[in-house]
Amino acid sequence: MKRRTVMTLSAVGAGVLALPIAGGAYLYTSTRRDTAGDVPFDNPLAVPPLDEGDLRGGARNFSLDAEAGETPIKPGKATPTWGFNGSYLGPTLRARRGDDLRFTVRNHLEETTTVHFHGAHLPADCDGGPHQAIEPGGSWEPEWTVDQPATMLWYHPHPHGNTARHVYRGLAGLILIDDDVSDGLDLPREYGVDDVPLVVQDRNFDGDNALEESETWTSTTGIIGEDVIVNGTYGPYFEATTRRLRLRILNGSNARVMNFAFDDDREFLQIGSDGGLLTEPHRTRRALLSPAERADIVVDLEPGETVVLRSLPVEDVGVGSIFKRFNGMDDRLDVLQIRAADELADSPEVPAKLAEIASLSDEPAAERSFRLAGFSTINGDSMDMNRIDFGAQVDTVEEWTVRNTDEYHHNFHVHDVQFQVASIDGEAPPPPLAGWKDTVFLEPNRDYRLRMRFDQYTDPDLPYMYHCHILFHEDFGMMGQFVVLGEGEEVGTVPDMAAHGDHG
Ligand code: C2O
Ligand code: CU
Ligand code: CU
């Protein structure tokens, strides 16, 4: 992979930027993709099976089997894919705050993988990052107690150097968490009926419908897919039966930033972000999601109408126009057609007040700065499985200032915690970024001040990750490691066994 990657990088530098002007102009023009009105929408949207676990021994027990298979996606041949408990994606796991979760994860693949619980607050040895490797034929049994607000998280592999490929082949799934707050709100909640998860992913298919796995040669972020699939369905339509439809959207792409909107530019309400409900619904026409970010939205429907969810060109976010174009940010892509039935069941008004969010205003115990640069570095270093970059003290709030120093784009994700965006270049964040977040898009050359509290789980030796969630950058090393320290503890050493996850 390294060799191909290096070639890709130099192609970008020396190839695209040094193309003869006419060739470059042609490439620039022809790279923009527009599928508006061209997607057939003739496949019913697949909804991942809901799995509430087996209640045994006072815990919710889940089984996840990573396996290879074939999935019919585009017309013609089936596509070789990977999935959990099936051939593509995995079940939607559902649990409540306070539940004890127990997992049995088995790896039926021919290579080492891991299963990371993205956005979950959990002990480091249950995180499923690169140190919790599961060998072929092996299994892994993490368990923890859910203690975080109602939201939608997701799970996906995290084997260092191979995350992009494993996720791209289809290994990903959702986790819905409920709590007393979400139960007390009159929100659409019938799974697959008026509360519908959307795992939106871009993919490239070759002439035999196999997934093309090589990085897009013009991009600086790895694979930019020309086709969009939702929950594994190509050209999906959803038949709505209610006046209000809640869509929980995950940008599950490896690299593509998506700017969700409806084709008639109607307004909708964003009610939640990565880590929970917002304090109040945010009325908007756009939801910008970089890879791994989620938006919980509610849209009103009229009987008998048809409306299309699409991804519009990304508005000005300070990314250089060449990088924007070659990373798909000028594209317009149809995502999902919603067909409202002639008679729609009534849905309650969305409540004006949602969750309480106490702001993390404690005096930070530590301030840290993170500078993302190139394809592979944070503060000048690339990921090293054996290097712990720092230790955070348990029961303290830290303030991290994160800056993308490039002309192109990155995002930033932190394991174990949900953070608050305290400010962006000194200004209060816009409403979609004002709730709990675990991943934030980084416009170039702006300071994102993030605040987070570390609590409960400590381990001086076993690290959590922070990284760019553009998987090509993450695999290439744009990732660091931290530990959470108990009272009186000091940063330790990554255990030997743990480091064996690195089978590049
Ligand atoms: Cu979604 Cu470190 O990952
Ligand atoms: Cu994560
Ligand atoms: Cu990046």
Side-chain angles (χ1 to χ4, degrees):
M1 170 207 149
K2 292 275 148 72
R3 173 178 300 255
R4 196 173 69 225
T5 303
V6 170
M7 284 173 50
T8 305
L9 302 191
S10 56
V12 171
V16 172
L17 301 179
L19 273 176
I21 299 207
Y26 170 74
L27 189 64
Y28 185 82
T29 311
S30 64
T31 299
R32 178 168 184 274
R33 189 160 171 82
D34 188 348
T35 65
D38 291 337
V39 174
F41 294 127
D42 49 8
N43 293 309
L45 174 74
V47 176
L50 189 64
D51 182 353
E52 308 200 56
D54 290 334
L55 293 170
R56 249 186 293 116
R60 250 176 228 285
N61 297 266
F62 294 104
S63 295
L64 292 175
D65 288 74
E67 56 201 38
E70 292 204 327
T71 310
I73 300 178
K74 295 195 71 168
K77 277 194 189 161
T79 302
T81 51
W82 288 359
F84 292 107
N85 308 355
S87 67
Y88 195 80
L89 298 178
T92 298
L93 314 179
R94 185 158 217 163
R96 284 186 67 78
R97 188 170 194 163
D99 284 349
D100 293 325
L101 307 187
R102 268 191 219 142
F103 287 83
T104 304
V105 184
R106 292 183 208 85
N107 178 7
H108 304 283
L109 304 169
E110 279 163 15
E111 54 185 284
T112 299
T113 193
T114 84
V115 176
H116 165 58
F117 303 99
H118 178 120
H121 173 48
L122 36 54
D125 62 353
C126 299
D127 180 58
H131 297 288
Q132 284 82 48
I134 314 170
E135 308 282 330
S139 64
W140 178 57
E141 299 184 337
E143 44 180 284
W144 76 93
T145 303
V146 179
D147 190 12
Q148 62 188 101
T151 193
M152 184 177 83
L153 309 175
W154 65 302
Y155 56 94
H156 64 78
H158 215 302
H160 185 45
N162 293 316
T163 297
R165 188 164 48 83
H166 287 206
V167 174
Y168 189 75
R169 289 185 180 181
L171 290 174
L174 303 171
I175 306 175
L176 295 177
I177 296 175
D178 305 302
D179 66 6
D180 293 346
V181 176
S182 65
D183 282 3
L185 293 167
D186 230 343
L187 290 168
R189 65 179 76 246
E190 204 180 330
Y191 183 80
V193 176
D194 62 1
D195 182 0
V196 181
L198 304 178
V199 181
V200 183
Q201 300 174 307
D202 65 341
R203 293 290 182 268
N204 286 319
F205 297 89
D206 70 13
D208 286 326
N209 285 346
L211 290 168
E212 270 182 8
E213 299 191 338
S214 50
E215 288 91 23
T216 307
W217 74 278
T218 47
S219 102
T220 53
T221 51
I223 299 171
I224 297 294
E226 300 200 338
D227 288 318
V228 174
I229 56 178
V230 185
N231 302 341
T233 309
Y234 172 74
Y237 67 85
F238 177 77
E239 291 183 315
T241 54
T242 55
R243 277 274 294 125
R244 292 193 170 85
L245 180 61
R246 179 180 189 180
L247 299 171
R248 307 214 208 191
I249 309 173
L250 161 69
N251 182 348
S253 303
N254 281 30
R256 185 185 280 281
V257 177
M258 299 191 116
N259 187 21
F260 292 98
F262 290 96
D263 59 342
D264 59 358
D265 215 29
R266 74 181 57 191
E267 291 185 328
F268 56 89
L269 298 176
Q270 182 170 353
I271 60 169
S273 56
D274 304 342
L277 294 164
L278 302 177
T279 54
E280 56 194 48
H282 167 57
R283 186 169 289 280
T284 182
R285 294 189 160 89
R286 301 281 182 274
L288 182 79
L289 298 180
S290 67
E293 287 185 289
R294 284 89 71 205
D296 191 348
I297 70 169
V298 177
V299 61
D300 285 11
L301 299 173
E302 294 298 330
E305 72 170 343
T306 293
V307 60
V308 173
L309 178 71
R310 58 172 58 139
S311 175
L312 296 180
V314 173
E315 283 140 34
D316 188 29
V317 288
V319 177
S321 59
I322 291 189
F323 294 115
K324 224 174 144 192
R325 173 63 52 103
F326 290 125
N327 289 291
M329 291 167 92
D330 290 334
D331 295 350
R332 185 167 68 155
L333 302 172
D334 274 357
V335 173
L336 170 74
Q337 184 188 58
I338 297 164
R339 303 177 183 171
D342 289 334
E343 282 184 45
L344 296 175
D346 259 343
S347 318
E349 259 325 310
V350 172
K353 290 274 166 249
L354 299 168
E356 302 262 349
I357 300 179
S359 89
L360 294 175
S361 54
D362 321 29
E363 191 54 37
E367 293 181 12
R368 304 181 196 279
S369 139
F370 302 82
R371 297 174 73 85
L372 284 72
F375 301 91
S376 62
T377 68
I378 300 177
N379 293 343
D381 285 326
S382 288
M383 168 73 167
D384 175 342
M385 293 276 287
N386 292 305
R387 185 192 70 235
I388 297 172
D389 292 272
F390 57 90
Q393 207 62 48
V394 73
D395 293 327
T396 66
V397 170
E398 296 205 350
E399 185 171 286
W400 295 9
T401 300
V402 185
R403 188 177 179 93
N404 162 14
T405 62
D406 287 322
E407 228 197 297
Y408 40 92
H409 60 283
H410 301 290
N411 65 9
F412 193 75
H413 168 52
V414 186
H415 286 209
D416 183 42
V417 294
Q418 291 287 334
F419 54 75
Q420 292 178 356
V421 180
S423 68
I424 302 171
D425 267 357
E427 311 228 343
L433 302 185
W436 293 110
K437 295 286 292 169
D438 56 50
T439 307
V440 65
F441 180 70
L442 301 175
E443 296 186 19
N445 299 307
R446 307 188 77 184
D447 283 331
Y448 289 74
R449 277 199 308 134
L450 314 180
R451 285 187 170 214
M452 63 206 83
R453 172 186 290 284
F454 299 94
D455 63 25
Q456 205 168 354
Y457 307 115
T458 63
D459 190 326
D461 301 319
L462 202 54
Y464 297 104
M465 311 292 127
Y466 53 91
H467 57 88
C468 176
H469 216 290
I470 289 170
L471 299 181
F472 172 72
H473 294 174
E474 174 184 341
D475 279 342
F476 210 52
M478 188 171 267
M479 175 153 67
Q481 314 195 97
F482 70 99
V483 291
V484 178
L485 299 171
E487 198 73 42
E489 282 180 341
E490 279 176 28
V491 173
T493 312
V494 180
D496 247 12
M497 283 311 291
H500 290 163
D502 195 5
H503 298 288

